[in-house]
Amino acid sequence: MEVTGMNTFQQAIDISNAQELHLCTKTFSKGEFFVTCKEDATSLDLVLDMEENSSCSILLLNQVEKEVTIHVTMNMNRDSYCKMGVLDVQNAPMTWNQKVNLLEEGANFELISGQLCLPNMEKTGNLEVEHLAGNTYGEMKNFAVLSDEGKYEMVANGNIKNGCHEAQSHQATRVLTLGKGHSAKVVPLLLIDENQVKASHALSIGQPDEDQLYYLQSRGLTKRQSLGLLSVGYFMPVIEMIQDEKMQEEVRMLVESKVGLYGNK
Amino acid sequence: MSELVIKNLHVSVEEKEILKGLDLTINSGERHALMGPNGNGKSTLLAAIMGNPKYTVTEGSITLDGKDVLAMEVDERSKAGLFLGMQYPSVISGVTNSDFLRSAINARQEKPIGLFKFIKQMDKAIQKLEMKPDLAHRFLNDGFSGGEKKRNEIVQMMMLKPKFAMLDEIDSGLDVDALRIVSDAINECQEETQMGLLIVSHYARFYEYLKPTHAHILVDGRIVVSGDASLVEKVDTEGYEWIEKEYQVKLVKEDKKQPISLGSCAVNKKGA
């Protein structure tokens, strides 16, 4: 399937079974892609080509019930801007590979992902933002919440090639672990072959703060609800990317129920 | 009419006994001032009533309208009608004030509160406390000044309408104007709900605003003197030393952490 964004656009795209999707943004266009991997989707091969001076947000919502593999390739030209969100709270494994090519000066890519790893479900990600021109910007923020026996593996690679002056590569990963028996492996990589650059990475993996839990419980929330509320905070940056208020509220309620906010125990 | 009864309460923290047999009864509509030098157990009492897991009750009982509070989880105590305005409220990034408060209100009622009703209530509380209108959308206590955190505790109290509110040095960090604003809000909330109050503060001015009906002095884990508001005045003018003489008790001096010298390293002494 091919979808082209021109002028001002807003495109909702549903993915079923195994599907290839080619998105393109034309010069000086600005808009939003909302891609939903429906219950029966098994794989998605997504290619996004951004022409110069185009701007878009792309939100990838996973609703798959079994298992899904997602490959994303992005080619970003001069002064193009993309903000991408990935929201995955499904009780199903997900393999996600992504390569972003910042081809020309001024290309700017930002990613925020929120993933929930329920018992025995494995979510793996292998992401790379490659800087192939100077004055390019890449930022990856990955958030994950792991419950009992949940598994999360994330390799995030910021790769700045030689000659890419003033390129910036930033990444942060925050993992909240709940319960027992979970496994989190996060590999932040910065491969830098140029001196005149800015780069950073931050990583935190840990249990909820006991004082925070006590504080929430002291206001009447059960332990499960408190953990749920703390977890929702990890998904809000992605949820807030949804422009449509009604849909934002629906997705938010879905996430809240998945993390146990409406549970009583 | 509700009643909070504490009998012979013994509480330890990390094997050290802080409360050593404390008795106290508070009824709806009463305002109890709890005073005492630092380190004698005031905050411990409040935390133990709320169920802070760091505090272990080794003996005694706490009942709320005859129900065993000690058998309740922390959230159950809150839902039963207890509220603790904390001295050091937690900072929780990623959770907005409005999400938090809505969840807290919904946790204590069968039917979720309507959005319009909630916004109205929250706006009223925010206006009363003269806080910035964006409070609802800010993360819980994140980036708040000391005074804002304390006002936010009172916003929560107003929204949750407890049977008994315990305020642990809620006046610290407040400037003169803010102290008046917070006091007015507490008074108004109490008049509306007839909640019982247990107030810990070191400052007579706060008590002047709140007009306690009862006052107690807690020394070395026990209440050694109880009386009316005149006790607050006496402490304000005379301090606590008279208690040692009159009641043959020893004030516990708070352990002050001394700076630790790491010694000198790589220093060339003359002649060495």
Side-chain angles (χ1 to χ4, degrees):
Chain A
M1 189 198 305
E2 283 198 19
V3 179
T4 301
M6 297 168 72
N7 303 319
T8 304
F9 62 90
Q10 196 167 27
Q11 297 279 355
I13 303 151
D14 290 344
I15 303 296
S16 296
N17 305 312
Q19 207 166 326
E20 290 179 3
L21 175 64
H22 185 199
L23 304 177
C24 177
T25 57
K26 292 291 182 189
T27 301
F28 295 118
S29 65
K30 185 178 182 181
E32 183 187 343
F33 296 112
F34 193 154
V35 181
T36 305
C37 288
K38 304 300 282 185
E39 292 84 347
D40 57 351
T42 55
S43 73
L44 167 65
D45 268 307
L46 168 64
V47 176
L48 170 67
D49 288 316
M50 296 191 71
E51 292 186 2
E52 62 180 54
N53 285 304
S54 62
S55 169
C56 78
S57 73
I58 173 166
L59 188 68
L60 188 60
L61 178 65
N62 182 24
Q63 291 183 342
V64 169
E65 284 185 345
K66 287 187 178 167
E67 184 173 358
V68 68
T69 302
I70 294 171
H71 292 281
V72 182
T73 306
M74 292 184 173
N75 300 306
M76 298 179 62
N77 287 295
R78 182 177 296 272
D79 295 325
S80 58
Y81 170 72
C82 176
K83 183 170 184 178
M84 181 179 188
V86 175
L87 183 64
D88 165 33
V89 292
Q90 288 303 98
N91 191 12
M94 175 170 156
T95 304
W96 168 28
N97 299 307
Q98 179 155 343
K99 173 81 188 296
V100 179
N101 301 307
L102 303 177
L103 301 170
E104 294 181 337
E105 287 212 351
N108 184 326
F109 172 73
E110 291 174 37
L111 167 74
I112 305 173
S113 73
Q115 291 188 281
L116 176 66
C117 305
L118 291 164
N120 298 310
M121 286 305 145
E122 186 165 5
K123 315 277 179 167
T124 61
N126 192 341
L127 318 177
E128 180 179 359
V129 177
E130 190 171 43
H131 297 253
L132 297 157
N135 290 302
T136 46
Y137 185 91
E139 182 175 331
M140 291 177 272
K141 288 181 181 170
N142 297 304
F143 301 96
V145 176
L146 277 66
S147 62
D148 286 325
E149 316 292 335
K151 289 176 186 155
Y152 179 71
E153 189 172 322
M154 175 57 68
V155 179
N157 182 5
N159 189 352
I160 301 178
K161 295 294 184 188
N162 187 264
C164 299
H165 309 288
E166 306 296 339
Q168 288 194 50
S169 178
H170 303 284
Q171 54 175 285
T173 307
R174 289 178 64 202
V175 181
L176 179 68
T177 56
L178 313 173
K180 293 173 184 170
H182 36 63
S183 150
K185 183 179 174 185
V186 177
V187 184
L189 288 172
L190 286 171
L191 304 177
I192 299 171
D193 194 16
E194 170 60 45
N195 289 324
Q196 203 79 348
V197 299
K198 285 182 185 168
S200 66
H201 66 79
L203 165 65
S204 70
I205 301 178
Q207 297 271 344
D209 183 281
E210 287 297 321
D211 288 336
Q212 290 181 340
L213 269 182
Y214 166 63
Y215 188 71
L216 296 175
Q217 287 178 270
S218 78
R219 302 304 189 241
L221 300 174
T222 62
K223 188 170 182 185
R224 188 169 173 204
Q225 288 169 331
S226 302
L227 290 171
L229 199 57
L230 290 174
S231 304
V232 169
Y234 280 66
F235 299 100
M236 282 315 292
V238 190
I239 295 170
E240 282 170 353
M241 280 183 66
I242 301 170
Q243 303 287 322
D244 183 89
E245 276 185 27
K246 193 178 163 210
M247 180 163 280
Q248 190 187 95
E249 188 63 20
E250 280 173 16
V251 172
R252 181 201 162 104
M253 285 179 74
L254 169 78
V255 172
E256 287 179 349
S257 70
K258 292 267 185 183
V259 298
L261 197 56
Y262 306 132
N264 295 318
K265 298 276 177 180
Chain B
M1 174 69 107
S2 287
E3 187 183 47
L4 180 66
V5 181
I6 299 152
K7 281 185 185 165
N8 189 33
L9 192 69
H10 291 249
V11 176
S12 296
V13 184
E14 294 172 351
E15 309 293 318
K16 187 182 177 188
E17 187 169 56
I18 307 292
L19 297 185
K20 302 170 180 175
L22 185 142
D23 297 291
L24 180 64
T25 298
I26 307 172
N27 292 300
S28 294
E30 293 178 353
R31 303 169 177 215
H32 290 243
L34 186 62
M35 298 173 291
N38 289 329
N40 280 258
K42 302 183 298 298
S43 295
T44 298
L45 172 64
L46 272 50
I49 296 171
M50 201 66 236
N52 188 325
K54 289 176 183 165
Y55 298 80
T56 309
V57 175
T58 53
E59 201 181 332
S61 67
I62 305 173
T63 56
L64 174 59
D65 297 332
K67 289 179 188 155
D68 183 5
V69 170
L70 296 177
M72 299 178 191
E73 296 290 331
V74 178
D75 60 290
E76 291 168 339
R77 296 180 195 206
S78 168
K79 282 179 270 203
L82 296 175
F83 177 88
L84 173 58
M86 297 192 192
Q87 195 175 356
Y88 304 108
S90 278
V91 173
I92 305 181
S93 302
V95 176
T96 62
N97 265 293
S98 58
D99 286 345
F100 165 57
L101 264 170
R102 240 180 118 185
S103 302
I105 290 170
N106 288 339
R108 62 193 69 226
Q109 54 191 41
E110 288 279 312
K111 210 174 156 193
I113 185 169
L115 186 60
F116 181 70
K117 190 178 174 189
F118 172 77
I119 292 170
K120 207 173 151 192
Q121 278 185 19
M122 188 147 192
D123 281 349
K124 187 183 164 194
I126 289 170
Q127 277 175 21
K128 184 73 202 164
L129 270 301
E130 296 188 21
M131 297 190 76
K132 291 175 191 159
D134 67 350
L135 176 80
H137 308 294
R138 290 172 71 186
F139 291 146
L140 190 49
N141 295 322
D142 191 7
F144 285 29
S145 68
E148 279 180 316
K149 284 181 187 170
K150 298 303 176 71
R151 290 191 205 201
N152 198 26
E153 293 291 281
I154 301 303
V155 166
Q156 292 171 29
M157 183 188 79
M158 291 175 74
M159 303 278 291
L160 298 177
K161 297 183 173 55
K163 288 180 186 170
F164 290 95
M166 302 173 282
L167 306 177
D168 192 2
E169 295 193 30
I170 212 78
D171 53 332
S172 68
L174 297 177
D175 60 38
V176 180
D177 293 332
L179 189 68
R180 162 65 82 180
I181 291 162
V182 164
S183 304
D184 286 349
I186 295 168
N187 284 331
E188 189 177 297
C189 186
Q190 205 230 9
E191 277 161 26
E192 187 191 326
T193 64
Q194 280 305 301
M195 65 182 173
L197 279 168
L198 180 57
I199 309 145
V200 171
S201 172
H202 289 293
Y203 300 104
R205 171 169 275 195
F206 191 44
Y207 288 131
E208 273 171 33
Y209 287 141
L210 293 182
K211 298 183 176 52
T213 55
H214 301 69
H216 315 274
I217 298 176
L218 202 161
V219 174
D220 194 16
R222 291 185 191 91
I223 288 175
V224 293
V225 196
S226 290
D228 56 20
S230 63
L231 199 55
V232 176
E233 241 171 79
K234 189 172 169 74
V235 169
D236 190 43
T237 51
E238 297 178 33
Y240 291 112
E241 283 184 4
W242 58 275
I243 297 168
E244 284 192 323
K245 290 173 198 154
E246 285 188 29
Y247 293 91
Q248 287 79 48
V249 289
K250 184 113 185 100
L251 301 178
V252 175
K253 303 283 183 198
E254 193 175 37
D255 290 341
K256 280 190 180 164
K257 285 184 182 168
Q258 297 295 323
I260 300 165
S261 169
L262 296 174
S264 51
C265 146
V267 175
N268 277 327
K269 287 182 184 170
K270 276 187 180 175

